[in-house]
C-alpha cells in the first residue's frame, strides 16, 4: 500500500539521531534503548503514513457492504481512520476505552449500527461474537509477533463463521513494514 512520504519523514531528525546512537554507542544499554526508540518511532511513522491509504482501501470494501474489523496499534492511526471512515460510524475497542465503552462498541458493531470496528492489535483476547457479523479483517499495522495477528484473525475466523474469512495485510515497501 502507498505511504505519505512527507508523513513518514516528518520527524526525520530524531530518527537520524537515534540511528546514529545505535551505530556509534559501545554501551549495550544505550544502544538497546536507542534501537528500541528508533523501532517505536519508525513503526508509528509508518502507521501514520499508511493510514489515509488504509482508509481508502477500507472505504472500497465498506461501500460494497463488507463489514470490517481493522487492527492497528497507534492512537494517531485510529484518529485518521475514525475521521476518514466517519460515514460508516466506526467504533473503537482499544486500550483507551473503559470496559463499558468497549462493550458498547462491540454491541454497535454486532448489531449493524456500525460497519467498522477499530481494534487494538493486542486488546482482542477474549472477544467473541464477531464471527456472526463479519468475515473480513484488515491489518493496518504490523506486529513483530505472528501470534498477535493469529489471535486477531481468530476473533472472526472461529466456530460459527459461515463464510470464508479474508485477512488482509496492507503492507508498504517503505518505513518499518519491510523489516517487520
Amino acid at each position: 500500500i502507498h505511504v505519505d512520504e512527507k508523513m513518514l519523514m516528518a520527524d526525520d531528525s530524531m530518527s537520524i539521531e537515534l540511528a546514529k546512537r545505535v551505530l556509534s554507542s559501545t554501551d549495550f544499554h544505550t544502544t538497546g534503548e536507542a534501537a528500541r526508540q528508533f523501532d517505536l518511532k519508525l513503526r508509528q511513522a509508518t502507521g501514520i503514513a499508511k493510514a489515509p491509504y488504509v482508509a481508502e482501501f477500507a472505504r472500497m470494501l465498506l461501500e460494497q457492504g463488507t463489514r470490517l474489523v481493522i487492527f492497528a496499534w497507534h492512537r494517531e492511526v485510529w484518529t485518521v481512520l475514525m475521521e476518514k471512515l466517519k460515514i460508516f460510524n466506526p467504533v473503537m475497542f482499544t486500550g483507551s476505552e473503559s470496559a463499558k465503552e468497549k462493550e458498547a462498541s462491540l454491541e454497535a458493531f454486532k448489531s449493524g449500527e456500525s460497519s467498522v470496528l477499530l481494534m487494538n492489535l493486542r486488546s482482542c483476547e477474549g472477544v467473541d461474537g464477531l464471527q456472526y457479523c463479519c468475515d473480513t479483517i484488515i491489518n493496518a499495522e504490523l506486529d513483530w509477533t505472528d501470534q498477535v495477528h493469529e489471535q486477531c484473525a481468530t476473533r472472526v475466523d472461529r466456530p460459527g463463521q459461515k463464510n470464508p474469512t479474508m485477512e488482509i495485510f496492507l503492507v508498504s515497501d517503505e518505513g518499518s513494514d519491510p523489516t517487520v
Side-chain angles (χ1 to χ4, degrees):
I1 196 160
H2 294 293
V3 296
D4 182 328
E5 290 189 25
K6 288 178 187 170
M7 292 173 97
L8 186 60
M9 301 301 179
D11 198 5
D12 214 17
S13 61
M14 175 62 100
S15 297
I16 290 169
E17 179 58 35
L18 288 168
K20 284 180 182 177
R21 266 193 250 161
V22 169
L23 296 172
S24 66
S25 178
T26 57
D27 176 58
F28 178 76
H29 177 71
T30 301
T31 301
E33 182 59 26
R36 188 174 85 67
Q37 290 301 319
F38 180 79
D39 169 58
L40 291 172
K41 287 198 69 54
L42 185 58
R43 287 179 63 208
Q44 180 181 32
T46 302
I48 293 168
K50 287 176 19 178
Y53 301 100
V54 169
E56 202 173 293
F57 184 90
R59 177 183 287 279
M60 288 188 303
L61 295 174
L62 290 161
E63 287 173 346
Q64 294 174 14
T66 303
R67 298 179 67 213
L68 299 173
V69 178
I70 302 176
F71 289 99
W73 178 255
H74 292 99
R75 172 68 46 197
E76 296 83 357
V77 174
W78 294 317
T79 299
V80 171
L81 295 174
M82 288 291 285
E83 175 60 31
K84 299 259 184 208
L85 300 174
K86 64 183 169 189
I87 66 167
F88 300 100
N89 193 29
V91 293
M92 296 177 69
F93 190 101
T94 70
S96 298
E97 296 79 33
S98 68
K100 189 175 182 177
E101 290 169 323
K102 287 179 184 178
E103 189 59 38
S105 289
L106 288 177
E107 287 309 311
F109 184 70
K110 289 177 187 179
S111 72
E113 181 184 326
S114 169
S115 297
V116 60
L117 174 63
L118 304 177
M119 289 192 86
N120 186 305
L121 283 164
R122 293 184 175 241
S123 70
C124 63
E125 185 177 346
V127 173
D128 192 19
L130 301 180
Q131 71 270 30
Y132 302 114
C133 60
C134 178
D135 57 24
T136 305
I137 68 170
I138 292 176
N139 291 286
E141 292 186 272
L142 302 179
D143 193 277
W144 279 109
T145 308
D146 291 342
Q147 288 77 21
V148 168
H149 288 292
E150 186 177 324
Q151 176 74 29
C152 293
T154 60
R155 297 309 94 206
V156 173
D157 187 17
R158 62 185 325 151
Q161 179 57 260
K162 293 184 179 359
N163 301 310
T165 302
M166 183 169 19
E167 182 179 12
I168 302 165
F169 286 86
L170 296 178
V171 180
S172 169
D173 290 334
E174 306 292 328
S176 63
D177 281 3
T179 302
V180 176

